[in-house]
Amino acid sequence: MSPPIAPPGWSRWLVPPAALSVHLSIGQAYAWSVFKPPLESALGLSGTQSALPFQLGIVMLGLSAAFGGTLVERRGPRWAMTVALICFSSGFLLSALGAATEQYWLIVFGYGFVGGIGLGIGYISPVSTLIKWFPDRPGMATGIAIMGFGGGALIASPWSAQMLESFGTDSSGIALAFLVHGLSYAVFMLLGVVLVRVPRAPASADGRPAPLTGVQVSARSAVRTPQFWCLWIVLCMNVTAGIGILEKAAPMITDFFADTSAPVSATAAAGFVALLSAANMAGRIGWSSASDLIGRKNIYRVYLGVGALMYTLIVLFGDASKPLFVLAALVILSFYGGGFATAPAYLKDLFGTYQVGAIHGRLLTAWSTAGVLGPLIVNWIADRQEEAGRHGSSLYGLSLVIMIGLLVVGFAANELVRPVHPRHHVTAPDTEESADVARQQ
């Protein structure tokens, strides 16, 4: 399963499309909400139950990335993309069987558990390779690939809705839609498996692969450094703040302006969700590319500091101005996407390229935490406020203030990031061994 080494003259610009084929596919996860109403109707599920496959999928994304990161680093991107293809497509096929037989536990197991493993392994599969191909612009390179994960829903949402309209929204129609998804994504992800290449390792004077230079830290050592845990807090806070809006976007904008003279229609709310997805995708390539120019620490200062300011504007003036509410939300979601895309380059700056893919996998446990924490804060508080008789924008005031506080915590953690102490650096023999592995791959 080792990918072929790129021949002389191979264009490094062929590698991002390979990564995109995987990330655009697994980005379907953000379009799960399309299946929620049909599943609730066909199988008699509650809203909480219909969200379970997505929630389990995000949890498994973080766990599989964390525990499989070292294996992905050792086996290479082609092996990782193949595993992602098998798991993600199999998850849909198992879900199709579950829908056809009306066994909801099989949908949870298939999409959430099996498919979630495919999400995690697929998400980190191209990171290390892209950084090695683009040492001069790591933020841009990883941003291109991770942009696909944010933009996958823009393709999957209308495509899934059209299939359900054609096949029907009963259990058999849902099963057929799952089946088409599984087979189609398998073919599309196969393009990445076939196309991916690793760069030829530079040789030293004696003809052996040259050892890696600069700061190099192993994944085992990285998790023992304060820098790793500062970045973990930074990513967790940034994601929690973004996903809090993303998960509740349509009802939030509807509630904010429900008591005004110009309420938001269901169609307009759906358009708002689409705009947020576009901002999420654009932020992944735009802000991560900007980090190559102004530095990773500075760009996270923007994500967290300006993000807190945008939330403050929504709390103070959001229900008085639709343009202000929409603009602030779009900026927040662009920072949400940018935070994901910039993280691998930040890790490369701090820990080197030695095992950056494995370190990135461990960092993604912050995403799993935030995937539960963000929606829980917004939904639980909104439910409690509604029970207390409140309505409109007052349903979200407290949760938005909490998001401001979380971003401030993330900002402080980012300020604490310093260069890694030399005692954590790997020795020369270790880096020579890593170069040998790179040549074998």
Side-chain angles (χ1 to χ4, degrees):
M1 293 306 300
S2 295
I5 296 174
W10 179 269
S11 174
R12 64 179 182 172
W13 293 102
L14 294 174
V15 180
L20 269 175
S21 71
V22 174
H23 274 246
L24 280 171
S25 298
I26 63 177
Q28 183 280 335
Y30 279 141
W32 174 254
S33 60
V34 174
F35 289 102
K36 282 171 58 67
L39 283 170
E40 292 168 13
S41 177
L43 302 182
L45 305 174
S46 66
T48 302
Q49 289 174 318
S50 66
L52 185 57
F54 171 77
Q55 292 175 317
L56 180 58
I58 295 299
V59 170
M60 291 307 301
L61 185 158
L63 294 178
S64 61
F67 289 104
T70 301
L71 194 58
V72 169
E73 196 77 17
R74 184 182 305 126
R75 297 289 184 87
R78 174 166 289 181
W79 176 87
M81 289 180 178
T82 302
V83 171
L85 183 159
I86 293 171
C87 291
F88 190 65
S89 296
S90 296
F92 270 112
L93 299 182
L94 288 170
S95 297
L97 179 62
T101 58
E102 298 188 0
Q103 297 294 318
Y104 185 61
W105 70 268
L106 194 52
I107 299 176
V108 175
F109 175 75
Y111 189 92
F113 185 81
V114 178
I117 294 174
L119 287 175
I121 299 300
Y123 191 88
I124 64 174
S125 62
V127 169
S128 179
T129 302
L130 283 166
I131 288 176
K132 290 171 183 174
W133 272 112
F134 293 87
D136 53 332
R137 286 182 281 181
M140 180 212 67
T142 54
I144 290 175
I146 295 176
M147 173 185 69
F149 193 88
L154 293 180
I155 299 172
S157 292
W159 182 41
S160 300
Q162 182 59 49
M163 275 195 285
L164 290 171
E165 184 177 335
S166 301
F167 301 150
T169 56
D170 58 358
S171 58
S172 61
I174 297 171
L176 189 54
F178 282 151
L179 177 64
V180 173
H181 274 75
L183 297 178
S184 299
Y185 282 130
V187 173
F188 193 59
M189 294 173 76
L190 186 62
L191 295 175
V193 174
V194 173
L195 191 60
V196 71
R197 299 287 190 279
V198 295
R200 186 177 299 274
S204 59
D206 60 2
R208 290 172 52 82
L212 299 173
T213 58
V215 175
Q216 303 295 336
V217 181
S218 69
R220 178 176 295 183
S221 296
V223 298
R224 299 172 182 171
T225 66
Q227 288 83 356
F228 176 86
W229 292 106
C230 283
L231 283 186
W232 193 97
I233 293 171
V234 166
L235 185 63
C236 185
M237 298 301 99
N238 191 60
V239 173
T240 301
I243 209 168
I245 281 188
L246 186 62
E247 189 271 344
K248 195 79 170 177
M252 183 179 289
I253 192 172
T254 301
D255 290 336
F256 251 80
F257 298 98
D259 298 330
T260 67
S261 59
V264 176
S265 66
T267 302
F272 175 63
V273 174
L275 283 176
L276 292 182
S277 296
N280 179 11
M281 181 175 64
R284 293 174 186 243
I285 180 63
W287 293 120
S288 60
S289 296
S291 75
D292 290 331
L293 301 176
I294 69 173
R296 252 58 78 171
K297 191 169 187 174
N298 285 333
I299 202 69
Y300 271 98
R301 285 169 172 154
V302 173
Y303 297 157
L304 300 160
V306 179
L309 176 61
M310 293 298 105
Y311 264 117
T312 302
L313 291 176
I314 292 177
V315 171
L316 296 177
F317 311 109
D319 58 350
S321 172
K322 284 182 186 176
L324 176 63
F325 180 93
V326 172
L327 179 61
L330 291 177
V331 172
I332 291 170
L333 261 294
S334 75
F335 292 160
Y336 167 80
F340 279 121
T342 313
Y346 207 164
L347 293 173
K348 178 257 183 187
D349 293 346
L350 288 171
F351 303 110
T353 60
Y354 176 45
Q355 290 187 336
V356 67
I359 299 171
H360 184 225
R362 287 160 171 77
L363 186 71
L364 289 181
T365 55
W367 187 0
S368 295
T369 303
V372 174
L373 189 61
L376 180 64
I377 291 172
V378 175
N379 287 294
W380 187 84
I381 291 178
D383 290 344
R384 301 290 80 77
Q385 298 286 60
E386 189 172 8
E387 289 174 1
R390 296 184 176 88
H391 53 83
S393 61
S394 61
L395 296 175
Y396 305 100
L398 178 58
S399 59
L400 297 183
V401 171
I402 291 174
M403 296 302 175
I404 295 171
L406 293 178
L407 288 172
V408 171
V409 170
F411 189 95
N414 185 53
E415 293 303 306
L416 294 175
V417 174
R418 298 289 186 272
V420 177
H421 194 279
R423 70 173 179 270
H424 296 290
H425 298 181
V426 297
T427 61
D430 291 328
T431 58
E432 289 173 4
E433 179 184 354
S434 72
D436 284 330
V437 171
R439 181 171 63 175
Q440 293 167 4
Q441 289 179 345

